[in-house]
Amino acid sequence: MLAAQVLHLKYKFSSAIVFLAEHFQPLVATSFFAALAELVIVENLNIRTPFPTLLSLSSRLGLHTHVCLMTRQHGYSCVQLECTIFSLADAQTRPWGIEIPGQCPQCGSISAWKKASLTNGPGVVKYAYSCQFSQCGTEQRLDPYKVIITKPPGVLVNAARTSSCGWFQSPSSFFAELSPPSKGKRKTGALIGSSAPKKARKGR
Ligand SMILES: [Zn+2]
């Protein structure tokens, strides 16, 4: 059965979901799978339509893993694989799906970061997080540690519960269909466009 599914995924699948956690725990996705079965398998909806809503049913899922949705898209001349990554986003701890350190790397403090928007309004494109420990950097004669997060390409999906917390959808990557092997060589899919959340960078 598993082998059949693998073969189906390898050669002729219509969609697939990849959980990017290194040690994925399926228990956190129970609500997600139940709603997925109802809307996609029973009601036969296009999986891309209800997908953000399905993700929002389980906040624990987003705390555990990023999720990649892969679907086949029929273009004019070929079939493409569309891959879209969804990440849980929270303005205080995971802006736009990018995790900020739980501990200050300079002083070791586990106090919450002090957040400040570097641009105001709904079009915020950058956040600065400062260590709140009053002695941070004193021994090293440095400024308090600061992390700056710049908004990557993408949007908070409509199913987001608040303006600052929800699922962040990165722009899709498209891969052309694999060509059949010829003369012992195997061609690989062509990357047309790509994006994914980047890691936080240090700033001062
Ligand atoms: Zn610190």
Side-chain angles (χ1 to χ4, degrees):
M1 179 65 181
L2 179 60
Q5 289 176 335
V6 170
L7 288 173
H8 180 68
L9 286 171
K10 186 173 181 181
Y11 296 114
K12 201 176 181 181
F13 63 87
S14 61
S15 62
I17 301 169
V18 180
F19 299 98
L20 303 177
E22 188 173 351
H23 302 289
F24 178 63
Q25 302 296 318
L27 194 61
V28 301
T30 305
S31 303
F32 171 80
F33 285 133
L36 177 75
E38 179 183 350
L39 295 177
V40 178
I41 298 176
V42 177
E43 298 189 15
N44 202 28
L45 292 178
N46 183 323
I47 190 171
R48 284 198 170 269
T49 304
F51 200 76
T53 304
L54 295 175
L55 291 173
S56 68
L57 295 176
S58 175
S59 57
R60 289 189 302 164
L61 175 63
L63 292 173
H64 178 48
T65 181
H66 302 283
V67 182
C68 179
L69 173 63
M70 301 192 299
T71 55
R72 287 168 67 94
Q73 303 294 338
H74 294 268
Y76 290 106
S77 58
C78 66
V79 177
Q80 293 181 344
L81 177 66
E82 179 178 1
C83 300
T84 311
I85 294 178
F86 295 84
S87 305
L88 185 68
D90 180 271
Q92 183 60 42
T93 57
R94 308 161 58 100
W96 306 296
I98 303 170
E99 289 191 45
I100 56 176
Q103 184 177 24
C104 175
Q106 183 164 275
C107 68
S109 171
I110 56 173
S111 301
W113 297 92
K114 181 181 179 182
K115 178 174 72 70
S117 301
L118 297 185
T119 53
N120 295 320
V124 171
V125 294
K126 196 177 288 187
Y127 282 123
Y129 297 82
S130 305
C131 179
Q132 296 201 77
F133 181 52
S134 58
Q135 303 298 315
C136 182
T138 301
E139 287 188 11
Q140 304 94 327
R141 297 183 179 179
L142 296 173
D143 294 332
Y145 195 83
K146 183 183 291 186
V147 177
I148 296 177
I149 307 289
T150 303
K151 180 184 179 298
V155 294
L156 273 174
V157 295
N158 293 332
R161 282 171 287 183
T162 70
S163 60
S164 61
C165 180
W167 283 84
F168 186 76
Q169 178 179 342
S170 299
S172 296
S173 300
F174 293 90
F175 298 85
E177 190 175 38
L178 291 175
S179 302
S182 61
K183 296 181 180 179
K185 291 186 176 180
R186 182 178 179 179
K187 295 179 180 178
T188 55
L191 178 63
I192 297 175
S194 66
S195 66
K198 298 177 181 177
K199 291 185 177 180
R201 71 179 178 87
K202 178 184 175 184
R204 296 202 174 276

